[in-house]
Amino acid sequence: MSEERILGIDFGGTKVALGLADRDGTLLATRRLDTDAQAGAEQVVVRALAAARALLADEGAVAACIGVVSPGIVLPDRILLAPNVPGWEQLHLRELVAAEFPAVPISVGTDAKAAALAEWRWGALDGADPAVFLSLGTGIAAAVLIGGRVLTGANGAAGEIGYNLLSPQDTEGFASGAAPLEEAVGGRGLGGRASELLGRPVTAGELFALAKENVEAKELVTAALDELSMHVANLAIALDPERIAVGGGLVRSADVLLPALADRLAHAVPFPPQLVAARFDQDAALLGAVALALGGGDQSGQKQAGPHNGT
């Protein structure tokens, strides 16, 4: 007899993460595949759902409920503020998943906000109030929790700091199609500038490693961290959080990233918050999807017991 499992799907700018969990939220099996963003949005979803079916079959399981997270604001007929994958903003994401898994309850949400919920319930933000989850990867976003409830904002866009302006000259920002902070310090923007600077394809992670011995790479990383740390400090000044947890792909370079952020917080913020790496590292959004599927869609802040990463 097939075991009932919670299926989590995390659609990212560069990869899709899939996971099966039990009802305590413990991840039992995971898969990853490349997003292949330039090939468009629909193929990403088709391949991810096929991989989810294969994962369930390999594990002898059926999906009891499904949580799906994505960059942007997920609405029934479109996804707002998700420009990294061509066509993503036109997706009817819930409908596509429901067509593959009819009669299975499906919850959808924003990846950074779901990750924040997972970190507060089970991870590095446990007990912190207010708390901030800072997602640093292909894109840049923050999620704020107050009393364990994720602050969504009037339009679901609270914490979309990738659109922060960098200077008084950024008079249009979003209106001109720009995401100034994300383009300056997000993984895609950093990788693009590093590739141009060094004359070969370079990822953001490789850039941080190169910065330890390459002067040009170090200057690029230093400028990016100066910019990012200023915005994180301003966020801390505005919110006065007890703790900030940093997750996303760039946290692989935590040895460079966290000291730069901590130094700016210590000198610029009247009451500096604790700064920690996210407990779940690359799995925070995936566990967030699991949390949504388990009933966290209302982000009510009700905690669930048990360990949550069995991999």
Side-chain angles (χ1 to χ4, degrees), residues 41-197:
E42 188 171 345
Q43 59 84 27
V44 183
V45 179
V46 169
R47 289 191 295 112
L49 293 177
R53 279 288 186 196
L55 178 59
L56 286 162
D58 289 348
E59 296 297 318
V62 295
C65 51
I66 301 172
V68 183
V69 299
S70 160
I73 302 166
V74 185
L75 302 177
D77 60 343
R78 61 195 185 282
I79 300 174
L80 304 180
L81 306 184
N84 284 324
V85 177
W88 199 255
E89 294 182 320
Q90 284 73 53
L91 282 181
H92 296 199
L93 188 56
R94 186 195 294 270
E95 288 183 15
L96 291 170
V97 179
E100 183 68 24
F101 293 95
V104 179
I106 298 166
S107 301
V108 297
T110 300
D111 51 4
K113 290 181 175 63
L117 185 64
E119 287 290 342
W120 185 81
R121 287 182 169 182
W122 309 316
L125 294 176
D126 181 19
D129 187 21
V132 172
F133 176 75
L134 184 63
S135 179
L136 305 179
T138 303
I140 301 292
V144 181
L145 298 109
I146 301 173
R149 297 176 65 93
V150 177
L151 178 67
T152 58
N155 301 286
E160 294 290 343
I161 62 171
Y163 294 95
N164 279 14
L165 304 179
L166 306 184
S167 74
Q169 286 69 47
D170 287 333
T171 54
E172 293 184 324
F174 173 75
S176 65
L181 182 60
E182 182 167 300
E183 291 164 14
V185 302
R188 179 164 294 171
L190 278 178
R193 289 200 303 283
S195 298
E196 183 176 345
L197 178 69

Side-chain angles (χ1 to χ4, degrees), residues 221-308:
V221 167
T222 298
L225 291 179
D226 284 346
E227 184 71 52
L228 175 63
S229 64
M230 178 182 70
H231 290 268
V232 175
N234 285 341
L235 185 67
I237 290 168
L239 297 173
D240 188 25
E242 180 179 349
R243 191 178 307 143
I244 298 175
V246 183
L250 293 184
V251 84
R252 293 189 182 99
S253 302
D255 59 328
V256 177
L257 179 64
L258 292 186
L261 296 180
D263 183 68
R264 183 64 70 97
L265 290 171
H267 288 90
V269 181
F271 301 97
Q274 298 173 339
L275 182 73
V276 298
R279 174 183 172 188
F280 299 117
D281 191 15
Q282 310 310 309
D283 283 333
L286 181 58
L287 280 164
V290 171
L292 290 179
L294 286 169
D298 63 359
Q299 298 171 340
S300 64
Q302 182 178 357
K303 292 207 174 191
Q304 299 177 23
H308 296 277

